[in-house]
Amino acid sequence: MTDLAVDDRPVLAGGGDRKPPAQAKRRFQGRRIILMIFLILLALSFLTPALWMLNTSLRPEEHVMDFPPGFALSHPQWGNYTTVLRNMPVYFLNSVKLAVLNVVGGLIVSSLAGYAFARLTWKGRDALFGIVLVTAIVPNIIYLLPQYILFQKIGWIDTLFPLWVPRVLTPVFGTFLMRQAFKTLPAGLEEAAQVDGASTFRTFLTIMVPQTKPALAAVAMFTFLDSWNDLFGPLIFLTSPDKQTLPIGLAQFQNEFYTQVGPLMAGATVTVVPVFIIFLLAQRYFIQGVTGSGFKG
Amino acid sequence: MAIHTAVRRAEVPPEVRRNRRRRTLEGWLFALPLVFGIVAFQAAPIVVSMYTSFTSWDGFNSPRLVGGRNYVDLIANDPIFLQVVRNTIVFTVLGVPVTVVLALVLALLGNLKVPGTAFLRMAFFTPYVMNVVAIGFVWYYIFGPTNGLINQFLRTLHITGPAWLADSAWVIPAVVVVSAWQGVGYPMMILLAGLQGIPEEMYEAARIDGASAWSRLWRITLPLLTPQIFFVTISQFIASFQVFGLIYVLTKGGPGYSSSVYIFYLWQVAFQQGKFGYAAAMAWLIVALIAVLTWIQWKLQKKWVFYD
C-alpha cells in the first residue's frame, strides 16, 4: 500500500489518545466504530459517481434513470460495451499511441536534463535552470496560440505530432522530479565507473538511471495521465473525426448516442479503467511525486 | 580584471582547461533536447504571442499592427469579456475555499489512527485521475433537471430541485461542486504530507499541559500546516483561473454566457471566430491578472503563514 500509511499517526487534531482508563474504554470503542462508519460513508460518497457510471453502463436502457438505481450485477448487460468497442477502436489506438510516445520520450528527455542539472558541473547550468523554472510558471495558453500557427505553417494540423513533439521536448515537471532524484543519490557514485574509463553517458545509463526507478515511475505516471486525459490539445489540433483521441471521441459519441445513457457510460468506463489500473499499480510512486518527497531508489 | 584573469588563466594547466570545456559541452549535450524544446515551443512562442497581441490577425492573412486596440476593446467594448471575467472570479472565490477546506478535512480524516485509511485516501484521489469527459457525462446525468439523481432524491423529500446546469443562477455553484469533488485529491495529498511532518513531541507537550483536541487543532496543527495550506491555496487559485475542461463538457458556457469562463471564451475567440490577435491579448491579460493576484497573496502570507 502507500508509503503514507504509517500506522502510529496522531488522531484527528493530532496527538494520540490518552491511555483511556478502563471504564472509559468501552465508550471510546463505540466512538471509534461510529467514526469508522462515517469514514466509510464518506469514501463511498466520493466513489458514487464512478460506481454509478460503472453500474449504468451495465443496465438495460429502460432502467438507467431509475431511482433508487438498482444493481446491475444481477443482470449485467454487456451489449453497451459491444456498441462502444465497435465505435471507438480508432480513438483508443490514437490515445495509446500518444501515451506511449509521450511517456517514453518524456522519460528520455527529462532524465537526461535532470542528470545534467543535478550531477554535472557546467557553464550556464544555473542560468538555464532559472529559465526552465520561469517557463514552468507561465500558463500554457500563452504558448498554445503561436504553436498552433507554427504547426499550421509546417502542415502538422490534424496529425498527432502537435500532441507529442512539444510535450516530449519540454517535460519541465519531469525534469524537476528527475533532478531531485539524481540529487539524492550518494556523491561519488560515478567515480568508480569513471576510473574504469566509462564515458559520462555510459555511466549515466548503466549506473545512475537504474538508481532512480521510483522517480522514473512517477514521471511516467504523470506524463501518462496528462497525455491520456488531455482535452484542449486534441480539441484545437485535430479536425477530422477519425484522427481523434478518446476524450474527443467520447464527446462525439455523445452527439451520436445522446438519447442512450448506457453506451455513453460504457464509453466513459472504457476511458477510465486503464487509468485506474495504472494508478493502482503505481500508486506509491504517484504519491511520492505529488508530495515531492525525496526518492530513495 | 583583465590582467587578473590573464594571470589566473596562466596558472590553470591546459589539460584542466580542456577538461572544463569538455564538461561544459557534456552538460549542454545532456540538456540539449530540453533546451531545443524550450526555445522552439516556449521561448519563441512567448515573443510571437506578445507581438500577435498588438495585431489584428485571422491566422491566415498577414497580421496588421493595431497597437493597443485589442486590449482597449477587451476592457472597454466587450461586455461578454467582462461577464466572463466576473464568472471566472465567482468560480474561483467559491471554488478555492471549498476545495481547500474540503482537502483539509479529508487530510485530517485520512491521518486518523483507524484501519482502512489507505483505502480512504485512494477513494478521495480517484476522481483526480478520471478523464474530464467521463466526469462530464456522469455529472451531467446526476444534475439532470427531472431524471437526475439529485433531483430524484430531492423529490423523495418533496423538494423541487432547480435545473442546475440549465439554470443561470445555479450553474456555477453546480460546476464548483464537480470541481471540488474532482480536484480535492491533490491538495489533500500535499496537506497529508504536511500533517505527517508535524513532530509528535508537540502534541505530547500540549497533552501534558492538558490542551483539548480542539485547541491542539487550532494551536498546533493548523499553524504548523500553514505553509502547505498557503501552497495549495495558491496552486488551486492559479488552476481555477484557467478552468476549461469542466465547462466544456458540462455547460459549453451556457445557459447564455452565465458559465462562460476565461479560457473557454478565449478558445471560442481564437478557434471558432479566428481572431488570433484578440485572443493573444486575452492570454496576456490573464497572465497579468494571475501574476498580480499571486503577488498580492505572496505579500499577504507574511501575516498568516508560519515558518519556523
Side-chain angles (χ1 to χ4, degrees):
Chain A
M1 279 331 268
T2 71
D3 268 10
L4 293 172
V6 182
D7 258 346
D8 52 357
R9 303 308 326 172
V11 176
L12 185 58
D17 351 305
R18 256 168 293 191
K19 286 271 177 294
Q23 70 269 33
K25 210 164 182 149
R26 283 250 310 277
R27 205 185 56 214
F28 178 72
Q29 282 298 347
R31 280 222 331 238
R32 260 177 91 105
I33 288 165
I34 290 168
L35 183 69
M36 288 281 299
I37 292 169
F38 169 73
L39 289 179
I40 289 166
L41 286 175
L42 191 68
L44 280 178
S45 73
F46 249 74
L47 291 171
T48 297
L51 294 173
W52 184 80
M53 170 180 83
L54 185 65
N55 193 41
T56 309
S57 73
L58 294 168
R59 308 204 61 203
E61 196 57 36
E62 58 273 21
H63 290 299
V64 288
M65 294 318 257
D66 288 4
F67 190 84
F71 263 118
L73 290 176
S74 48
H75 300 286
Q77 305 280 318
W78 295 102
N80 291 330
Y81 285 87
T82 42
T83 311
V84 169
L85 296 174
R86 245 206 326 277
N87 278 282
M88 300 180 82
V90 167
Y91 308 141
F92 205 85
L93 207 65
N94 284 341
S95 272
V96 170
K97 215 188 293 182
L98 277 176
V100 170
L101 285 166
N102 272 318
V103 168
V104 173
L107 285 179
I108 294 170
V109 176
S110 61
S111 58
L112 280 168
Y115 184 74
F117 286 127
R119 310 290 292 202
L120 302 174
T121 348
W122 40 289
K123 247 205 196 78
R125 182 186 69 179
D126 298 344
L128 189 64
F129 193 68
I131 292 170
V132 175
L133 268 173
V134 170
T135 60
I137 298 167
V138 177
N140 260 341
I141 191 75
I142 289 290
Y143 309 133
L144 276 166
L145 296 173
Q147 278 183 15
Y148 181 86
I149 291 153
L150 168 73
F151 295 143
Q152 208 176 43
K153 289 214 185 331
I154 58 178
W156 277 10
I157 299 295
D158 208 21
T159 68
L160 293 184
F161 291 118
L163 301 175
W164 65 271
V165 176
R167 226 172 260 198
V168 160
L169 291 173
T170 53
V172 174
F173 181 66
T175 301
F176 289 146
L177 279 188
M178 291 314 296
R179 174 173 173 264
Q180 189 106 342
F182 282 120
K183 263 191 179 318
T184 56
L185 298 179
L189 199 58
E190 300 97 326
E191 275 155 31
Q194 251 138 19
V195 168
D196 292 345
S199 68
T200 309
F201 182 72
R202 191 148 159 215
T203 311
F204 159 80
L205 205 59
T206 55
I207 314 263
M208 305 301 282
V209 170
Q211 297 282 330
T212 57
K213 280 194 187 118
L216 289 168
V219 174
M221 181 88 210
F222 279 104
T223 313
F224 170 78
L225 261 188
D226 260 354
S227 167
W228 189 262
N229 290 342
D230 184 22
L231 177 74
F232 203 83
L235 198 62
I236 62 177
F237 293 124
L238 304 175
T239 46
S240 40
D242 64 318
K243 291 259 173 40
Q244 298 297 351
T245 58
L246 263 181
I248 310 276
L250 208 55
Q252 287 176 345
F253 204 58
Q254 192 179 12
N255 302 335
E256 206 175 325
F257 287 92
Y258 64 95
T259 51
Q260 301 174 42
V261 185
L264 284 185
M265 291 307 153
T269 308
V270 165
T271 310
V272 166
V273 162
V275 185
F276 280 169
I277 292 170
I278 292 177
F279 174 59
L280 284 178
L281 291 176
Q283 216 196 129
R284 214 184 94 222
Y285 306 120
F286 191 71
I287 288 163
Q288 283 183 326
V290 168
T291 52
S293 47
F295 290 101
K296 307 259 180 300
Chain B
M1 187 74 211
I3 296 168
H4 218 72
T5 17
V7 173
R8 279 239 318 277
R9 265 215 130 105
E11 281 168 15
V12 175
E15 66 270 22
V16 173
R17 238 185 304 144
R18 255 204 309 281
N19 225 336
R20 218 179 270 166
R21 221 173 303 146
R22 205 202 62 194
R23 282 223 299 260
T24 296
L25 182 69
E26 261 175 2
W28 280 94
L29 276 177
F30 268 77
L32 188 63
L34 180 73
V35 171
F36 174 78
I38 283 181
V39 169
F41 299 117
Q42 293 186 331
I46 284 183
V47 177
V48 171
S49 73
M50 198 59 168
Y51 167 78
T52 308
S53 75
F54 294 104
T55 64
S56 169
W57 194 19
D58 58 8
F60 291 100
N61 304 312
S62 44
R64 242 171 358 96
L65 266 172
V66 294
R69 212 182 64 202
N70 288 329
Y71 292 93
V72 173
D73 279 350
L74 275 171
I75 293 163
N77 310 322
D78 187 345
I80 296 173
F81 175 74
L82 295 182
Q83 167 155 22
V84 162
V85 171
R86 201 169 42 239
N87 291 343
T88 309
I89 291 172
V90 169
F91 178 80
T92 303
V93 167
L94 283 177
V96 173
V98 168
T99 310
V100 172
V101 170
L102 184 66
L104 190 57
V105 171
L106 296 184
L108 288 168
L109 292 171
N111 201 28
L112 289 175
K113 260 208 298 194
V114 290
T117 43
F119 167 74
L120 207 65
R121 288 193 293 257
M122 224 206 60
F124 301 146
F125 209 85
T126 306
Y128 185 82
V129 298
M130 265 175 97
N131 190 309
V132 74
V133 178
I135 289 172
F137 279 9
V138 177
W139 285 90
Y140 184 81
Y141 290 103
I142 292 178
F143 281 128
T146 44
N147 285 341
L149 274 185
I150 295 180
N151 281 359
Q152 290 207 59
F153 171 71
L154 289 174
R155 212 170 300 142
T156 58
L157 308 173
H158 303 289
I159 300 170
T160 310
W164 302 114
L165 300 174
D167 179 333
S168 59
W170 283 99
V171 62
I172 290 186
V175 178
V176 163
V177 168
V178 184
S179 156
W181 170 80
Q182 186 210 356
V184 78
Y186 183 80
M188 177 199 72
M189 288 289 176
I190 305 264
L191 293 171
L192 204 51
L195 280 176
Q196 301 185 337
I198 297 175
E200 191 60 27
E201 300 82 66
M202 290 272 189
Y203 296 115
E204 293 295 333
R207 257 200 315 278
I208 289 163
D209 294 344
S212 71
W214 275 115
S215 76
R216 289 204 297 266
L217 176 68
W218 281 107
R219 282 151 195 261
I220 300 175
T221 310
L222 289 179
L224 287 176
L225 208 59
T226 41
Q228 281 83 11
I229 295 174
F230 174 68
F231 174 77
V232 298
T233 305
I234 289 255
S235 55
Q236 287 301 306
F237 156 82
I238 291 172
S240 174
F241 252 67
Q242 299 175 70
V243 63
F244 172 84
L246 281 179
I247 297 294
Y248 178 84
V249 298
L250 283 171
T251 71
K252 293 281 191 295
Y257 283 98
S258 58
S259 68
S260 184
V261 289
Y262 205 106
I263 300 291
F264 184 79
Y265 184 55
L266 196 157
W267 167 75
Q268 285 183 315
V269 165
F271 297 102
Q272 296 192 315
Q273 304 166 15
K275 297 197 284 194
F276 276 91
Y278 201 57
M282 269 187 86
W284 280 105
L285 272 182
I286 198 170
V287 170
L289 205 58
I290 290 174
V292 168
L293 292 170
T294 307
W295 180 79
I296 291 172
Q297 293 179 64
W298 207 265
K299 283 280 165 237
L300 287 176
Q301 71 166 326
K302 281 200 197 73
K303 298 215 187 308
W304 64 279
V305 179
F306 178 86
Y307 293 108
D308 49 355

